[in-house]
Every structure is written in structure tokens, then in C-alpha cells.
Amino acid sequence: MLSEESVVTVPADASPGPVAGTDVVFLPQAFDHGTPVYPAHTTQLVDQLTAQGVTARTWHPAADSEFLSARGPVGDTLLQIAVGIASSAGWYAIQSMLRSRSGPLRVIAVFEQDGQRRRADLAGDADDVVRALKTLDPFGPGRPD
């Protein structure tokens, strides 16, 4: 069971999100005096998706960003990612990548659905988060890609 779940419509220009021509864009989790901050594992996830044939990158250039690891009981066990997903390939690759995880997980996914930008915030056990992503699938049958 998910410990947290929300799906809301957000203005397209309110924050970073999907980018046409890129399947998955990792979004910063914070800003430190204007510098985007990403979790340290982001570069590994980009490489993992790229190896699967999915186009993936960070929203900001790596040279202009900070990549920090969280330490402590929560930071060491909880995988947190924020992504903009622009294609079915990206949507399914994220699910596939997360299926190999266990334990607590938090995913913020920003995607376009029915002409609107949507933001899903899901937290819980990895299996439950993947199941929720499967249910939310904006690229499923009958949906434009």
C-alpha cells in the first residue's frame, strides 16, 4: 500500500517537466542559492536508462549542478527520483528500472495527459509505487504518444 499518493494538474510553465525528444528528464530535488541539486544516484540512473536505449538526461547541465548524497538512516535506504517523462519508452523504462528495487521509494513523475501537464507524487514500497505507475500510464492503449 502506498503511504503517499497524489496526482494533480499543474501549469505547464510552473516547473520543469517532460522535454520533447528526450524520453526521461531527471528533475532537481532542490536549489541551493540558484544551483540545482540532484541526488548523487541520478547520473547512474541516466546511464542505466541510456544503456536500455532510452534517451535520458538531467534538466540542467551537469556542470551547472550539484549532485549530493544524503546520509543517515532515511537517505541510505530511500530512493527518491523526480522525472519528466515524454514518451511511452521513458514511462516503461522507469517502471522496469524500479521493478528491480525493493524497500521504500518516492517518485515524482511529471507527464502530459489529455492536453494537460500532470504531476504524480508516489511514495511507499517499491512494488506499490510501480503498480501505481502502471495504473496511471498516460501512454496506454488509446492514448497518444
Side-chain angles (χ1 to χ4, degrees):
M1 176 171 272
L2 292 175
S3 60
E4 183 180 331
E5 177 180 15
S6 70
V7 180
V8 297
T9 301
V10 295
D13 60 355
S15 62
V19 174
T22 303
D23 297 311
V24 177
V25 177
F26 285 87
L27 308 176
Q29 290 193 334
F31 287 87
D32 182 14
H33 302 292
T35 301
V37 178
Y38 294 86
H41 59 256
T42 302
T43 54
Q44 293 170 312
L45 298 176
V46 167
D47 291 344
Q48 184 178 351
L49 291 171
T50 301
Q52 293 178 26
V54 174
T55 57
R57 65 178 180 89
T58 56
W59 180 265
H60 301 89
D64 299 335
S65 305
E66 287 188 41
F67 295 85
L68 301 175
S69 59
R71 292 288 176 222
V74 174
D76 291 341
T77 60
L78 175 66
L79 175 68
Q80 297 187 68
I81 63 170
V83 291
I85 305 175
S87 71
S88 59
W91 191 264
Y92 303 130
I94 289 291
Q95 289 178 59
S96 176
M97 179 182 69
L98 296 176
R99 268 189 208 98
S100 66
R101 305 279 177 179
S102 62
L105 176 63
R106 179 167 186 223
V107 174
I108 297 170
V110 181
F111 54 93
E112 304 289 330
Q113 184 177 34
D114 301 328
Q116 297 181 333
R117 180 170 285 183
R118 311 274 289 163
R119 181 180 190 262
D121 193 338
L122 309 166
D125 185 70
D127 291 338
D128 294 329
V129 171
V130 171
R131 211 173 357 266
L133 286 170
K134 186 175 180 181
T135 301
L136 289 172
D137 187 355
F139 303 99
R143 300 265 186 201
D145 185 14

